[in-house]
Amino acid sequence: MDDLLQVLRSSLRRAVEESPAEVLFFSGGLDTSILAALSPSTPALHVCLEEGGEDLPYAEQTARTLGLSLTVRRVSVEEALDALPEVIRIRRTFDPALPNDLALYFAFAEARSMGFGSGMTGDGADELFAGYSYMFDQDLASYIPWLAQRLHFSAEEFGEWFGMEVSQPYLNRAVVDLALAIPPELKVREENGVRFGKWILRKAFEGDLPPHLCWQNKRPIEVGSGFRRLRETVTEMITDEDWAAPVRFFTCDQPYYYRLYRQVVGKIPPPAPGETACPACGAGMPPEARHCRVCGYYR
């Protein structure tokens, strides 16, 4: 076990060294805290909605522990609403997960305004090391390799839009290969009576982070950043006409995103040859896909 932990540490350290960035997009969660521990001289940027989200105390504690240079960008509700059309234009989606994308959009926008030309993200850690609670009861031996072939992150689109390079150390080929070789029982495992995802990742870096930071719970981006609160505001802006749209909605705020999608993107793209139609919106989906990138449908 000790050898595996050391190999994992060394593999991630090399990945960070091979793909350095001028700023770390820093949530304060486990994945970006590990990257901060491996690159403590890299400035860190944390984005949250107005008074902050659940991640902010963790980000500030980790910054103090590691001696990071931390910038906190607080986004107003008005700024977030004004940015929604552009985020939808970039992502070409009305997925109900758009509050997650808003946090990342403002991270890139702020980094660019600060003069940075590259940013580092924690993309891939949850998928490769079973960080999501829904994965705990999956057949991870088959699911994670399947997922690893289909990884896509909005950071790539935002990076292109803002003209910034994106560093994703967890997606380094050597790290991915090592993650796929690690047995599932070392990814989801109990520690002190609590079931954790990313167990092996936590064990590998528990000497670099205080226990309450290393063994913190997983928080969705919209919860950690506080952008979830935007859903209530958006829901109040929806009309009966929005609900009458010829697509299936999954959240109370999604009709508003669809209205904006129609304004800035246009029609939903039909299936291309070899694709199937999404049951919720009619967009084309590859036969093996489980998720519609246009509306967020998941099967």
Side-chain angles (χ1 to χ4, degrees):
M1 173 64 76
D2 288 343
D3 289 344
L4 177 57
L5 296 178
Q6 186 56 46
V7 169
L8 180 54
R9 287 175 55 83
S10 299
S11 182
L12 263 174
R13 182 177 297 279
R14 283 195 301 271
V16 170
E17 293 171 350
E18 291 172 4
S19 185
E22 297 173 22
V23 65
L24 170 64
F25 296 135
F26 185 59
S27 68
L30 175 69
D31 309 332
T32 55
S33 292
I34 288 173
L35 298 180
L38 293 172
S39 185
S41 62
T42 303
L45 173 61
H46 179 85
V47 172
C48 57
L49 186 67
E50 295 190 315
E51 67 267 25
E54 294 181 14
D55 279 346
L56 183 56
Y58 288 93
E60 292 174 333
Q61 291 172 38
T62 305
R64 287 194 296 270
T65 299
L66 299 178
L68 304 178
S69 171
L70 175 65
T71 297
V72 177
R73 168 65 160 96
R74 297 177 186 270
V75 179
S76 71
V77 170
E78 291 74 18
E79 286 180 297
L81 291 175
D82 288 345
L84 262 174
E86 185 162 77
V87 172
I88 290 172
R89 183 183 293 111
I90 297 169
R91 299 276 356 263
R92 304 186 72 81
T93 182
F94 56 97
D95 191 313
L98 276 166
N100 292 333
D101 290 322
L102 272 170
L104 193 55
Y105 167 86
F106 280 101
F108 273 94
E110 184 68 14
R112 174 48 80 190
S113 73
M114 295 170 71
F116 295 123
S118 59
M120 184 180 294
T121 76
D123 292 336
D126 284 311
E127 290 78 8
L128 294 169
F129 293 93
Y132 298 114
S133 59
Y134 84 87
M135 300 174 75
F136 290 5
D137 296 312
Q138 296 266 356
D139 176 12
L140 296 182
S142 60
Y143 180 66
I144 291 181
W146 178 88
L147 188 60
Q149 296 296 318
R150 295 161 177 82
L151 294 178
H152 175 82
F153 298 95
S154 57
E156 297 150 21
E157 293 160 1
F158 289 130
E160 182 177 356
W161 182 266
F162 285 100
M164 293 181 61
E165 295 183 9
V166 181
S167 168
Q168 299 166 303
Y170 291 102
L171 299 181
N172 177 281
R173 188 68 254 175
V175 176
V176 172
D177 290 342
L178 176 59
L180 293 177
I182 293 175
E185 57 269 22
L186 295 182
K187 295 177 179 178
V188 177
R189 189 166 174 170
E190 282 196 5
E191 182 77 11
N192 295 324
V194 179
R195 200 178 186 198
F196 284 98
K198 296 184 289 196
W199 183 88
I200 187 72
L201 200 56
R202 299 173 192 270
K203 292 298 289 186
F205 288 92
E206 64 179 352
D208 299 84
L209 299 168
H212 68 286
L213 297 176
C214 190
W215 296 95
Q216 60 180 290
N217 291 329
K218 166 68 182 175
R219 297 174 298 280
I221 294 175
E222 68 173 78
V223 173
S225 65
F227 277 85
R228 179 176 61 176
R229 297 193 299 274
L230 194 67
R231 293 188 184 276
E232 297 177 7
T233 302
V234 167
T235 299
E236 294 174 355
M237 302 165 67
I238 293 172
T239 66
D240 290 341
E241 184 179 354
D242 291 328
W243 280 111
V247 297
R248 189 193 314 172
F249 297 122
F250 306 106
T251 61
C252 292
D253 53 331
Q254 193 178 14
Y256 182 73
Y257 306 146
Y258 178 67
R259 185 205 304 176
L260 296 181
Y261 177 93
R262 293 284 294 177
Q263 292 172 0
V264 302
V265 178
K267 296 181 179 179
I268 294 173
E275 292 185 332
T276 58
C278 168
C281 73
M285 294 177 61
E288 72 281 2
R290 300 184 185 182
H291 174 251
C292 175
R293 292 184 180 174
V294 175
C295 74
Y297 167 80
Y298 191 87
R299 61 187 176 194

